[in-house]
């Protein structure tokens, strides 16, 4: 047998991985969410650099395959070695089972996993040792299982990448890493959103067929097991390729530099993207982004936020009028894009209640979300802080005792609560809100009688509306004003909700249905609230956490950040349109201004109704940090990169000027240095105050 055939398990699996990745790229290229055209150069980069990157990534990922193959041997079963090895395995098993192993120091499921793994290994080694007659057959089936497992993982990863793309329009990022942490919600979401049994049945069938061919082409390795010298040669070749791969993979990733974001995403290797997201959950702004001297950054910020002094955002907010301690109810709506509403051009009548409420409210027609995840929306309305690079503050370790909207209300004598229909453990919400003085009302606090419908994300919005009314009635009876922040859940995949509520069935799993049901539940909430005595003394703030989709042709497609926002208080706030540019971080400072609050503020967000407000919006992903001003989008990216785009309105017939959504984003011909410095000032100082703990409550 030639030496090349002894490498057959490696190269057959590599071929399998590259073929699957090639097919996946074609599928994603023609996916409806891939809203871009590709030049010949783009296509060549996607498929050539992409394939080369896949090759080297698989070399790194196949280290476990090398380890398994290199230990296939008959010599280890000869006396006395076989009995010595078995004795060591049994001793290791007993050591882990004793509960005093090093694995127990790490806790969790690790000791159990270790015990199962060593137990299976011990059993199989004993079987091969004591039943030599069937050793070759048993080894073949184990060999087949290992190759099947690799093929299955290759196909499973492809399916996961497809569904991730289907949801977000990108390869793996922070969200995929988070999904590993919150497995209950994520697995439940998959179970409820997709036909899991047919999907996995098909997966196992295809994996079985593909594995059959891989096994047939690779079984020569077992028919003539490599000698010790040959294994040294195999290991030498593998180590050289492994070392080169460690160098090549990040270098190839640097070639993801097209102006077409989709080209970069399709060219990228999903597994490597996942690794990058895992190790870079926090990005040091001062290491990765363009900076200016700190004194210059704060001086520039002072021109945007009057009243701050020195290296801080601390300033006095004074009102000439008397403070009003009205109740405040903040409702953040899950995944709610502006284009769901009639005013922005939607003709499907999926938001009839909010369409009507908008005509009775102070409506912000040009309002932008800070990010594309719920934690970013919560961060924006709670901390009123620009979306700094990396993970949201909500998810960070240093997330407690911050200066928040809740802390301002508490100083004014308010009861402060966070209401959430799911388990507030998800996305670290419980840790964040309790660590900042909020009381939590979530699914765990509801009695079985209070739950009429739930899915993996929590109880339906109607149930939470009922609970919210009960909570507010109790608070009103204390005589203290209350601030309640309610986060909805029903407008989220799998979009299931009670049947016979709206004209879209609850089991249709339709996004339009999820939107319309949430609208229905909010209508029910306000219908109940209007009957309560506290309603007339309450300000209601309604805003989305983020858009339903964040995918687009550029790093920050501005239409994917446009969300509805309104303040409703009949008899107190007159219905009107506020048409200037507004950021999500400005919403609650504006509410404080309406209530004439006097307080010391650290917020970057401002009262947009004040004469000194300079319109701008701050939007970001976990790594691209943007500012919209003067119809220019400035983006700061890692490696000190800066891009600027001219925003040219693409008018849509039948929509009022105030509600036009879509812009053409073309690279700016002449650099606007002033806007670059202003953008840097916001993000650099925000990073600085968090890093130096200057954004803490005291």
């Amino acid at each position: 047998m030639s030496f090349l055939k002894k490498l057959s398990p490696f190269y057959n699996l590599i071929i399998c991985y590259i073929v699957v990745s090639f097919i996946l790229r074609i599928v994603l290229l023609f996916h409806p969410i891939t809203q871009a055209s590709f030049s010949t150069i783009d296509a060549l980069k996607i498929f050539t650099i992409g394939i080369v990157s896949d090759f080297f990534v698989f070399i790194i990922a196949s280290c476990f395959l090398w380890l398994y193959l290199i230990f296939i041997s008959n010599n280890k079963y000869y006396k006395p070695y076989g009995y010595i090895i078995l004795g060591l395995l049994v001793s290791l098993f007993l050591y882990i089972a004793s509960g005093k192993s090093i694995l127990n120091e790490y806790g969790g499921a690790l000791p159990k996993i270790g015990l199962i793994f060593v137990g299976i290994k011990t059993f199989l080694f004993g079987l091969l040792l004591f039943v030599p007659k069937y050793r070759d057959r048993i080894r073949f089936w184990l060999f087949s299982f290992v190759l099947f497992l690799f093929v299955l993982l290759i196909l499973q990863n492809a399916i996961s990448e497809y569904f991730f793309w289907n949801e977000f329009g990108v390869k793996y990022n922070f969200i995929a890493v988070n999904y590993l942490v919150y497995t209950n919600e994520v697995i439940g979401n998959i179970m409820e959103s997709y036909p899991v049994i047919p999907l996995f049945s098909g997966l196992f069938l295809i994996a079985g067929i593909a594995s059959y061919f891989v096994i047939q082409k690779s079984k020569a390795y077992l028919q003539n097991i490599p000698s010790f010298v040959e294994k040294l040669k195999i290991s030498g070749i593998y180590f050289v390729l492994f070392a080169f791969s460690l160098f090549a993979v990040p270098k190839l990733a640097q070639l993801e530099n097209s102006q077409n974001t989709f080209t970069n995403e399709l060219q990228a290797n999903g597994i490597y993207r996942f690794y990058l997201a895992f190790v870079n959950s926090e990005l040091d702004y001062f290491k990765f982004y363009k900076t200016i001297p700190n004194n210059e950054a704060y001086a520039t910020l002072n021109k945007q936020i009057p009243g701050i002094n020195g290296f801080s955002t601390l300033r006095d907010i004074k009102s000439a009028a008397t403070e009003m301690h009205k109740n405040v109810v903040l409702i953040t709506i899950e995944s709610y894009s502006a284009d769901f509403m009639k005013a922005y051009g939607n003709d499907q009548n999926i938001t009839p209640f909010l369409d009507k409420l908008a005509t009775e409210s102070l409506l912000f027609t040009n309002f932008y979300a800070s990010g594309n995840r719920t934690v970013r929306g919560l961060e924006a309305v709670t901390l009123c802080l620009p979306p700094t690079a990396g993970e949201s503050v909500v998810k960070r370790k240093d997330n407690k005792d911050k200066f928040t909207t809740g802390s301002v209300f508490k100083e004014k004598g308010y009861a402060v609560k966070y209401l959430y229909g799911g388990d507030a453990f998800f996305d670290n919400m419980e840790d964040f809100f309790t660590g900042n003085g909020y009381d939590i009302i979530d699914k765990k606090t509801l009695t079985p009688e209070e739950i009429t419908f739930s899915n993996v994300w929590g109880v339906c919005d109607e149930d939470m509306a009922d609970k919210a009314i009960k909570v507010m009635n109790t608070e009103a009876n204390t005589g203290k004003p209350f601030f309640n922040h309610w986060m909805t859940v029903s407008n989220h995949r799998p979009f299931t909700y009670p049947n016979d509520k709206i004209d879209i069935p609850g089991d249709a799993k339709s996004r339009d249905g999820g939107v319309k049901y949430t609208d229905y539940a909010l209508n029910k909430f306000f219908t109940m609230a209007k009957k309560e005595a506290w309603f007339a003394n309450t300000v209601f703030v309604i805003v989305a956490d983020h858009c339903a989709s964040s995918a687009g042709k550029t790093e920050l497609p501005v239409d994917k950040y446009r969300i509805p926002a309104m303040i409703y208080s009949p008899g107190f706030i007159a219905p009107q349109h506020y048409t200037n540019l507004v950021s999500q971080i400005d919403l609650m400072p504006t509410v404080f201004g309406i209530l004439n609050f006097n307080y010391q503020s650290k917020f970057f967000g401002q009262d947009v109704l004040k004469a000194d407000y300079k319109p701008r919006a701050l939007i970001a992903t976990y790594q691209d940090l943007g500012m919209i001003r003067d119809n220019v989008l400035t983006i700061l990216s890692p490696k000190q990169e800066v891009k600027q785009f001219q925003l040219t309105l693409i008018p849509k017939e039948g929509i009022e000027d105030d509600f036009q959504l879509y812009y053409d984003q073309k690279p700016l011909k002449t650099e606007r240095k002033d806007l670059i410095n202003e953008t840097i000032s916001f993000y650099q100082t925000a990073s600085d105050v968090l890093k130096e703990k200057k954004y803490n409550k005291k």
Side-chain angles (χ1 to χ4, degrees):
M1 181 174 65
S2 67
F3 179 72
L4 186 61
K5 286 189 176 181
K6 297 187 178 184
L7 299 173
S8 57
F10 288 99
Y11 62 69
N12 285 319
L13 284 172
I14 288 175
I15 291 169
C16 177
Y17 179 58
I18 288 175
V19 168
V20 170
S21 296
F22 182 82
I23 294 171
L24 176 65
R25 283 191 173 91
I26 293 175
V27 171
L28 299 184
L29 187 69
F30 292 101
H31 191 285
I33 208 171
T34 312
Q35 302 170 352
S37 55
F38 299 91
S39 65
T40 304
I41 299 284
D42 287 336
L44 284 172
K45 287 186 70 178
I46 289 168
F47 290 103
T48 55
I49 297 176
I51 287 172
V52 174
S53 180
D54 292 342
F55 173 82
F56 288 120
V57 167
F58 187 85
I59 291 295
I60 297 170
S62 63
C63 60
F64 295 106
L65 178 66
W66 165 79
L67 196 63
Y68 165 73
L69 293 173
I70 219 71
F71 279 97
I72 293 178
S73 167
N74 283 321
N75 294 340
K76 63 186 178 184
Y77 298 107
Y78 297 158
K79 294 180 181 179
Y81 307 115
Y83 295 97
I84 294 172
I85 294 171
L86 180 62
L88 291 173
L89 287 171
V90 170
S91 299
L92 181 60
F93 179 82
L94 294 174
Y95 167 65
I96 298 173
S98 70
K100 298 178 181 179
S101 71
I102 191 172
L103 299 180
N104 291 90
E105 294 181 17
Y106 292 91
L110 196 59
K112 187 179 290 185
I113 293 170
L115 193 66
I116 292 171
F117 176 78
V118 175
I120 291 172
K121 186 67 180 174
T122 304
F123 171 77
L124 291 175
F125 187 87
L127 196 64
L128 292 168
L129 176 65
F130 294 117
V131 193
K133 181 180 178 180
Y134 297 103
R135 186 178 296 159
D136 290 341
R137 186 177 299 178
I138 295 170
R139 181 184 284 141
F140 173 76
W141 285 109
L142 289 174
F143 177 80
S144 300
F145 174 75
V146 170
L147 295 191
F148 169 77
L149 196 59
F150 267 87
V151 173
L152 183 67
L153 290 172
I154 289 168
L155 292 171
Q156 176 63 58
N157 176 68
I159 291 173
S160 298
E161 284 196 43
Y162 171 80
F163 284 121
F164 197 82
W165 187 278
N166 186 60
E167 188 78 14
F168 301 104
V170 294
K171 291 291 184 77
Y172 297 140
N173 59 20
F174 266 4
I175 302 172
V177 176
N178 290 343
Y179 279 3
L180 277 186
V181 178
Y182 302 106
T183 53
N184 180 57
E185 285 84 355
V186 174
I187 292 173
N189 185 23
I190 292 169
M191 296 291 289
E192 294 181 13
S193 300
Y194 301 106
V196 174
I197 294 176
L199 189 66
F200 279 92
S201 297
L203 170 64
F204 276 93
L205 179 62
I206 295 170
I209 294 170
S211 297
Y212 173 79
F213 290 103
V214 171
I215 292 163
Q216 290 301 310
K217 295 285 186 180
S218 307
K219 64 182 181 181
Y221 186 92
L222 292 183
Q223 292 170 346
N224 189 1
I225 297 171
S227 64
F228 178 75
V229 173
E230 288 173 324
K231 286 180 179 179
L232 286 178
K233 291 180 182 178
I234 291 171
S235 298
I237 294 170
Y238 180 73
F239 288 152
V240 170
L241 285 172
F242 186 88
F244 187 74
S245 298
L246 292 176
F247 167 80
V249 171
K251 289 295 182 183
L252 290 168
Q254 292 177 9
L255 300 177
E256 296 161 18
N257 53 13
S258 171
Q259 287 192 353
N260 185 334
T261 302
F262 283 112
T263 298
N264 297 330
E265 293 295 333
L266 290 168
Q267 179 184 324
N269 179 275
I271 295 172
Y272 183 60
R273 277 289 183 88
F274 184 90
Y275 165 77
L276 288 178
F278 186 82
V279 299
N280 295 318
S281 60
E282 291 187 25
L283 294 173
D284 186 339
Y285 181 91
F286 298 92
K287 179 178 180 181
F288 292 101
Y289 292 84
K290 186 175 179 63
T291 60
I292 55 179
N294 235 21
N295 60 338
E296 184 180 334
Y298 278 97
T300 304
L301 186 69
N302 186 32
K303 295 176 183 177
Q304 318 307 313
I305 309 176
I308 65 173
N309 290 299
F311 295 86
S312 168
T313 54
L314 186 65
R315 62 197 186 280
D316 288 322
I317 305 294
K318 297 290 185 183
S319 174
T322 305
E323 282 193 6
M324 292 176 283
H325 292 178
K326 289 179 175 288
N327 306 311
V328 178
V329 176
L330 168 62
I331 304 173
T332 45
I333 308 175
E334 173 68 49
S335 305
Y336 207 82
S337 305
D339 60 11
F340 289 153
M341 297 185 68
K342 185 177 180 180
Y344 292 93
N346 193 297
D347 58 4
Q348 296 174 290
N349 193 37
I350 55 176
T351 60
F353 172 70
L354 285 180
D355 287 336
K356 180 176 182 296
L357 196 71
T359 65
E360 302 169 0
S361 305
L362 166 56
L363 178 66
F364 300 95
T365 65
N366 201 12
F367 192 95
Y368 284 85
S370 290
N372 50 25
R373 290 218 60 210
T374 296
V375 284
R376 282 301 189 192
L378 296 177
E379 175 188 83
V381 297
T382 304
L383 297 174
C384 308
L385 178 83
T388 50
E391 189 56 274
S392 163
V393 176
V394 176
K395 306 285 295 284
R396 297 181 191 175
K397 291 180 180 178
D398 181 24
N399 66 357
K400 299 174 180 63
D401 298 317
K402 300 300 180 190
F403 186 78
T404 66
T405 56
S407 64
V408 173
F409 279 117
K410 278 210 160 184
E411 283 189 2
K412 302 297 181 182
Y414 281 67
V416 175
K417 286 183 174 61
Y418 177 67
L419 291 76
Y420 178 63
D423 186 340
F425 168 76
F426 181 71
D427 262 347
N428 210 44
M429 288 184 279
E430 188 169 36
D431 182 64
F432 172 72
F433 281 107
T434 55
N436 285 288
Y438 288 68
D439 294 325
I440 302 287
I441 305 293
D442 67 355
K443 183 180 178 180
K444 298 190 295 290
T445 68
L446 272 68
T447 65
E449 293 74 27
E450 291 176 313
I451 301 173
T452 64
F453 180 93
S454 65
N455 63 19
V456 67
W457 292 109
V459 303
C460 64
D461 288 341
E462 276 183 279
D463 289 345
M464 208 58 202
D466 290 333
K467 183 68 174 179
I469 294 295
K470 291 178 183 177
V471 169
M472 293 171 200
N473 285 342
T474 301
E475 288 175 318
N477 290 334
T478 66
K480 289 179 62 176
F482 58 79
F483 168 61
N484 286 333
H485 180 177
W486 171 22
M487 177 75 219
T488 73
V489 300
S490 291
N491 182 34
H492 194 297
R493 193 179 299 278
F495 308 115
T496 55
Y497 46 86
N499 276 315
D500 304 319
K501 301 292 183 176
I502 58 174
D503 55 5
I504 303 173
D507 48 13
K509 298 183 179 179
S510 153
R511 181 181 290 279
D512 286 349
V515 172
K516 194 164 189 175
Y517 174 73
T518 292
D519 186 81
Y520 170 87
L522 290 174
N523 186 14
K524 181 177 178 180
F525 169 76
F526 278 95
T527 300
M528 291 188 291
K530 286 176 182 178
K531 297 175 182 177
E532 304 299 337
W534 50 262
F535 175 82
N537 191 42
T538 302
V539 175
F540 297 90
V541 185
I542 301 98
V543 65
D545 61 345
H546 58 83
C547 277
S549 170
S550 59
K553 298 178 183 179
T554 59
E555 292 93 333
L556 298 175
V558 294
D559 59 294
K560 303 297 186 181
Y561 287 81
R562 192 81 166 267
I563 57 173
M566 63 191 82
I567 302 175
Y568 172 69
S569 186
F572 176 56
I573 297 175
Q576 58 184 298
H577 288 179
Y578 183 87
T579 60
N580 285 337
L581 198 61
V582 180
S583 183
Q584 202 172 22
I585 67 173
D586 301 316
L587 186 59
M588 294 311 294
T590 301
V591 172
F592 293 148
I594 291 172
L595 295 174
N596 301 324
F597 276 12
N598 297 299
Y599 64 105
Q600 277 201 319
S601 176
K602 293 185 178 182
F603 295 140
F604 283 73
Q606 301 166 66
D607 179 356
V608 301
L609 301 179
K610 291 288 179 64
D612 57 7
Y613 169 67
K614 295 180 180 179
R616 50 87 192 99
L618 301 166
I619 63 176
T621 64
Y622 70 94
Q623 64 175 1
D624 293 312
L625 313 174
M627 183 185 78
I628 305 170
R629 173 169 279 167
D630 298 342
N631 286 322
V632 173
L633 170 62
T634 304
I635 301 177
L636 310 177
S637 299
K639 302 177 186 177
Q640 290 77 43
E641 289 184 2
V642 179
K643 295 179 183 178
Q644 289 186 297
F645 297 89
Q646 182 67 52
L647 303 179
T648 306
L649 187 68
I650 305 173
K652 188 175 178 181
E653 283 188 32
I655 302 176
E656 293 180 29
D657 291 346
D658 295 347
F659 298 95
Q660 293 288 346
L661 280 174
Y662 301 101
Y663 290 86
D664 188 24
Q665 298 182 206
K666 295 287 187 183
L668 200 64
K669 293 180 180 179
T670 304
E671 182 184 80
R672 285 282 304 271
K673 183 70 174 176
D674 59 327
L675 294 181
I676 292 174
N677 285 342
E678 286 175 16
T679 306
I680 292 172
S681 74
F682 275 109
Y683 289 107
Q684 180 173 322
T685 56
S687 301
D688 180 62
V689 296
L690 286 174
K691 185 177 182 179
E692 301 300 326
K693 301 186 185 302
K694 290 184 284 188
Y695 212 72
N696 287 10
K697 190 165 49 179
K698 292 182 179 180

